[in-house]
Amino acid sequence: MRLLVLLLLFHLSTNGFSQLEDEKSVQVFKHLYSFNFEEADSIISSIDSTTESSNYNFLRAHYMRWFHLPIHNQNDSILNAYKNYLTTAEVNIELNKFNYNQINGALLSAEYNYNKGNYYKALQSGSMVYDLVKNNLDQEPEQQEVKLLSALYHYYYQYYKTENSVIGTMIWFFKEGDKETGLKWLEEVANQESIVSTEALIYLSHIYLRLENNPDKALYYANKLHQLYPNNLKFYELYIESHFSLGELTREVYSQIQELKDSEKTYFQKYGICYEAIGKNIEAELRSDEKETRLNEALSFINQNGGGSHLSSLLFRSLYHTTGDEEYLKQKNKHEVYQFALTGYTPKQKDYNYKN
């Protein structure tokens, strides 16, 4: 039971559920999504941390989470500061009222403790949020923020029930979810004009790309996300991988790969170098041995800079496709995080021709 709660809460907290209480908060999030960190920091600094402590800590936590990607891999000084900004949720289930900032803080706290292996603390932080969600599954919630949470619960409940037999045996502890309802509600939230719609776009891009293995739909939402926030390097991965999954190489894809490589942060450099090697592999202009060399060089860079199972699985898949070496396939399977086009699984579209 605990495992399922944590898995669900991990996904509910992945991008930060947020109801923004004033125009300053809205502007902070727009700047964070646009990677305008100086502007976001300036607005947050103008908020009184004493009289508006909840909102101040809420925004500071999100600022750190976006600036220090991935937050759970940072040094103790950064992690301690981040942890101090996280607030505790206060939910009134009976009246169905809650403080949006504190709910968000509870989800971020659950995510933080989950990634650090503190599962009991993660469960404590998230249990109140689960109590809220389970009361908003039957009827479509009017509030977009609650609708987002409920949509994610609906989807991931069925996802884990179907994809993980171990979790499937524990599913009877929880209220039933429906995947199609979850996707429908997510798409409806994504069509609204709000910050919450941005979060829905992130989830839809990820879900359709890596979980539903539907790159056409993934690209549709990744493109909308890119149009809204063209400077967000984190969003590039959804856009690039959707194109790669369709066997497409565009000028915009190459431009984004170069921006990732040119980033001052190693985290983004790893993505850029990985994607560049895969892009060269798709082009089919190089000899097989040259492709193998480039892909292995990308793997070496990733391994020398903290590793990364997802990127490694993409590279090992390309290496296996290029060389036919079964050892590369074994390594792909070992590192595989998602079963989708870029790890060798045929997408759902009809008459689809995978080019990598």
Side-chain angles (χ1 to χ4, degrees), residues 197-209:
S197 69
T198 299
E199 296 170 7
L201 288 173
I202 297 171
Y203 282 112
L204 287 167
S205 301
H206 167 73
I207 286 171
Y208 279 123
L209 174 65

Side-chain angles (χ1 to χ4, degrees), residues 256-308:
Q256 291 186 15
I257 290 173
Q258 191 59 50
E259 286 189 58
L260 289 169
K261 287 180 59 183
D262 291 342
S263 172
E264 296 178 355
K265 297 187 176 182
T266 305
Y267 174 78
F268 293 119
Q269 292 173 14
K270 290 196 293 186
Y271 279 88
I273 290 171
C274 171
Y275 292 152
E276 182 181 56
I278 294 174
K280 293 294 184 182
N281 204 53
I282 295 175
E283 282 181 342
E285 294 179 357
L286 301 175
R287 299 194 312 269
S288 293
D289 60 327
E290 293 176 320
K291 291 180 178 180
E292 185 177 12
T293 297
R294 283 179 176 270
L295 291 165
N296 274 309
E297 287 174 349
L299 266 174
S300 295
F301 183 83
I302 290 170
N303 290 332
Q304 291 166 9
N305 290 278

Side-chain angles (χ1 to χ4, degrees), residues 130-158:
Y130 170 71
D131 286 338
L132 169 70
V133 170
K134 73 180 182 182
N135 292 326
N136 287 277
L137 297 176
D138 297 329
Q139 299 296 323
E140 182 176 330
E142 294 182 4
Q143 294 171 282
Q144 294 302 296
E145 298 77 22
V146 179
K147 189 173 180 178
L148 174 66
L149 284 173
S150 300
L152 292 172
Y153 182 89
H154 269 297
Y155 179 84
Y156 281 107
Y157 178 99
Q158 283 297 331

Side-chain angles (χ1 to χ4, degrees), residues 36-293:
N36 295 327
F37 294 110
E38 289 187 8
E39 290 85 348
D41 180 65
S42 177
I43 296 174
I44 296 172
S45 297
S46 70
I47 298 173
D48 192 319
S49 61
T50 301
T51 60
E52 299 181 65
S53 60
S54 176
N55 198 36
Y56 178 85
N57 292 332
F58 164 75
L59 294 174
R60 274 292 172 207
H62 276 284
Y63 174 90
M64 294 192 70
R65 191 173 179 277
W66 275 100
F67 187 79
H68 297 289
L69 285 169
I71 186 65
H72 63 277
N73 285 343
Q74 303 304 314
N75 61 46
D76 288 342
S77 176
I78 293 173
L79 286 177
N80 288 334
Y82 177 68
K83 187 177 180 180
N84 287 335
Y85 286 126
L86 298 177
T87 57
T88 302
E90 292 181 357
V91 186
N92 189 327
I93 297 298
E94 182 180 355
L95 297 179
N96 198 31
K97 295 180 180 179
F98 52 92
N99 180 295
Y100 294 97
N101 292 1
Q102 291 174 331
I103 284 290
N104 191 284
L107 288 172
L108 292 184
S109 181
E111 177 196 41
Y112 168 79
N113 284 301
Y114 180 93
N115 284 324
K116 299 299 291 183
N118 302 322
Y119 299 137
Y120 182 71
K121 289 184 178 179
L123 184 62
Q124 284 182 315
S125 297
S127 61
M128 290 177 287
V129 183
Y130 170 71
D131 286 338
L132 169 70
V133 170
K134 73 180 182 182
N135 292 326
N136 287 277
L137 297 176
D138 297 329
Q139 299 296 323
E140 182 176 330
E142 294 182 4
Q143 294 171 282
Q144 294 302 296
E145 298 77 22
V146 179
K147 189 173 180 178
L148 174 66
L149 284 173
S150 300
L152 292 172
Y153 182 89
H154 269 297
Y155 179 84
Y156 281 107
Y157 178 99
Q158 283 297 331
Y159 173 78
Y160 282 117
K161 182 178 180 179
T162 303
E163 300 297 327
N164 192 304
S165 59
V166 175
I167 295 178
T169 62
M170 301 183 293
I171 208 72
W172 63 274
F173 282 103
F174 296 89
K175 197 164 185 176
E176 185 78 19
D178 178 74
K179 187 167 73 171
E180 295 306 316
T181 297
L183 290 173
K184 177 177 178 289
W185 287 2
L186 273 178
E187 291 176 356
E188 290 172 353
V189 173
N191 288 328
Q192 301 296 314
E193 293 185 5
S194 68
I195 293 296
V196 177
S197 69
T198 299
E199 296 170 7
L201 288 173
I202 297 171
Y203 282 112
L204 287 167
S205 301
H206 167 73
I207 286 171
Y208 279 123
L209 174 65
R210 296 166 177 160
L211 304 185
E212 293 297 303
N213 200 10
N214 188 333
D216 273 331
K217 274 198 170 183
L219 181 57
Y220 172 77
Y221 291 109
N223 188 53
K224 292 184 72 171
L225 199 58
H226 177 59
Q227 290 176 350
L228 285 172
Y229 302 102
N231 297 322
N232 189 309
L233 299 184
K234 181 61 179 172
F235 295 164
Y236 284 6
E237 66 181 81
L238 298 168
Y239 185 91
I240 293 171
E241 289 185 23
S242 294
H243 273 287
F244 278 0
S245 294
L246 293 166
E248 298 176 354
L249 293 172
T250 67
R251 183 175 300 178
E252 179 60 32
V253 167
Y254 280 120
S255 176
Q256 291 186 15
I257 290 173
Q258 191 59 50
E259 286 189 58
L260 289 169
K261 287 180 59 183
D262 291 342
S263 172
E264 296 178 355
K265 297 187 176 182
T266 305
Y267 174 78
F268 293 119
Q269 292 173 14
K270 290 196 293 186
Y271 279 88
I273 290 171
C274 171
Y275 292 152
E276 182 181 56
I278 294 174
K280 293 294 184 182
N281 204 53
I282 295 175
E283 282 181 342
E285 294 179 357
L286 301 175
R287 299 194 312 269
S288 293
D289 60 327
E290 293 176 320
K291 291 180 178 180
E292 185 177 12
T293 297

Side-chain angles (χ1 to χ4, degrees), residues 17-30:
F17 154 74
S18 60
Q19 164 68 29
L20 307 179
E21 296 181 341
D22 53 40
E23 184 59 29
K24 281 188 177 181
S25 298
V26 171
Q27 291 304 314
V28 166
F29 265 82
K30 286 183 177 179

